[in-house]
Amino acid sequence: MTSDVSLRVERDPVPRKVKVTPEIAASFLSRNSVNRRLDQGHVQALVEAILHDEWKLTHQGIGFDTNGRLLDGQHRLSAIIEADRPVEMFVWDGLPEDVFPVLDTVKRRSAADALSSTGEKKYLTLLSSTIRHVLLFRTMPNEPWTGARSRVSNDRILAEFKVDVDSYREAVTSGRELAKHVFASQTALAAGYFLTTEAAPAVDVDAWKAGLKSGANLEPGDARLVLREVPKGAPKRGVKRRPDMRDQVSMYIKAWNAWVRPEQTGKLVLRRLRKNEKMPMPVEEPFTR
């Protein structure tokens, strides 16, 4: 009798649906001889999908050639081992050896592609980036928003968008408008706009935006004026680098907080987050009955 992992076959490739445990994944990986070097960032993204119960059974899975060697699936198998959870996937046995060069050569679907499946048409790249950074703010505000750990799955972005479609559309539109007048990127401004207006829906956001866009009649020290005066472009001599996305979102929130609650704020200084400095949280200003 042939064991479950005995993979030499003499027929056309046939898929099997298998619940791949970490132990089975390790056994399958032991047959790896021709795969590419691991992309640890991709592995980590798959791990996050598994741990967040976002793994879905699709036609993509594990592929072995006619000699039982692993041709496709090393990233998925490595993620199962790292996540230490079993997942279901299709296992293909008996693939011709010459299919390896064409495996996984198609571009992966982006978050913008996923959002387009909802019928959304405008500013998809900015929209997906905005949602991603809102999620990073919520889940890891005090950690870098770059590298493998900062990857967010398309499923999470799509699910988040569906929770508050109108607010995300408004945030993207506002981010595009404000970027003409403020140093930060459209994404940082859209994410900051979404987070602050979500926390303080009772605040007159139109007055906030009008001041940022025109700068007219703003008194010295007005938080909107301070934010407008943060320099655009390259950093001044002696400054190591431009503010990154996390820095930009933090400055937007600091300025918003100072404008909403000026009595609680001293002299407003907007700069990059210092080492170990925590991300500011938007002040809350809910509607009252």
Side-chain angles (χ1 to χ4, degrees):
M1 181 179 293
T2 305
S3 69
D4 188 54
V5 294
S6 178
L7 302 166
R8 186 180 181 90
V9 293
E10 300 295 338
R11 60 182 184 275
D12 289 339
V14 177
R16 300 175 285 136
K17 188 168 73 171
V18 177
K19 189 170 188 177
V20 181
T21 65
E23 293 73 25
I24 292 175
S27 174
F28 285 172
L29 274 176
S30 71
R31 297 173 179 268
N32 185 17
S33 62
V34 294
N35 268 242
R36 298 161 292 187
R37 185 174 5 179
L38 276 180
D39 177 346
Q40 292 296 340
H42 184 38
V43 171
Q44 189 58 42
L46 293 173
V47 169
E48 292 296 319
I50 293 171
L51 295 178
H52 287 90
D53 295 322
E54 295 169 354
W55 183 279
K56 289 182 172 60
L57 180 67
T58 72
H59 65 287
Q60 294 180 308
I62 309 302
F64 295 94
D65 68 14
T66 53
N67 294 307
R69 293 181 300 180
L70 181 67
L71 290 184
D72 189 27
Q74 64 169 349
H75 290 86
R76 301 178 190 99
L77 295 171
S78 298
I80 290 169
I81 293 171
E82 187 168 337
D84 196 27
R85 284 192 189 179
V87 298
E88 284 192 334
M89 65 176 66
F90 285 109
V91 177
W92 290 80
D93 302 324
L95 295 173
E97 295 180 55
D98 59 3
V99 303
F100 176 73
V102 301
L103 293 173
D104 281 348
T105 57
V106 179
K107 181 182 177 183
R108 290 194 191 103
R109 287 182 175 84
S110 66
D113 294 330
L115 288 169
S116 70
S117 70
T118 67
E120 201 68 14
K121 300 183 184 300
K122 297 180 67 175
Y123 317 127
L124 293 175
T125 300
L126 175 58
L127 177 61
S128 62
S129 180
T130 298
I131 297 170
R132 173 176 175 263
H133 285 90
V134 167
L135 290 171
L136 290 175
F137 177 90
R138 289 175 175 166
T139 58
M140 45 188 293
N142 301 314
E143 300 176 54
W145 291 353
T146 57
R149 293 200 66 245
S150 69
R151 294 193 182 187
V152 179
S153 72
N154 292 352
D155 282 349
R156 290 178 68 192
I157 289 174
L158 193 57
E160 172 66 17
F161 175 63
K162 290 178 179 178
V163 169
D164 205 343
V165 172
D166 291 339
S167 293
Y168 274 113
R169 287 174 178 163
E170 181 184 346
V172 165
T173 298
S174 297
R176 285 171 52 82
E177 293 174 356
L178 294 177
K180 300 172 185 176
H181 311 281
V182 180
F183 82 100
S185 69
Q186 292 181 1
T187 295
L189 293 167
Y193 182 95
F194 181 92
L195 291 163
T196 51
T197 53
E198 178 186 55
V203 171
D204 184 359
V205 70
D206 289 335
W208 164 257
K209 289 199 297 181
L212 284 178
K213 287 192 282 187
S214 73
N217 303 316
L218 299 183
E219 297 182 2
D222 187 299
R224 293 167 295 178
L225 186 60
V226 176
L227 185 57
R228 278 177 56 90
E229 291 178 344
V230 175
K232 296 183 179 181
K236 294 180 180 178
R237 182 174 298 178
V239 178
K240 292 183 179 180
R241 62 174 176 81
R242 292 185 63 191
D244 61 19
M245 191 70 72
R246 203 168 145 262
D247 295 323
Q248 293 174 38
V249 173
S250 76
M251 289 187 214
Y252 183 95
I253 293 174
K254 286 178 181 177
W256 168 270
N257 288 352
W259 181 70
V260 176
R261 301 274 176 83
E263 71 282 357
Q264 297 180 10
T265 307
K267 182 179 179 181
L268 178 62
V269 178
L270 298 179
R271 51 166 173 69
R272 288 172 44 211
L273 289 165
R274 292 174 177 169
K275 186 177 181 181
N276 299 323
E277 181 181 358
K278 291 187 176 181
M279 173 69 76
M281 295 292 111
V283 296
E284 296 184 3
E285 196 74 40
F287 288 112
T288 57
R289 294 182 179 180

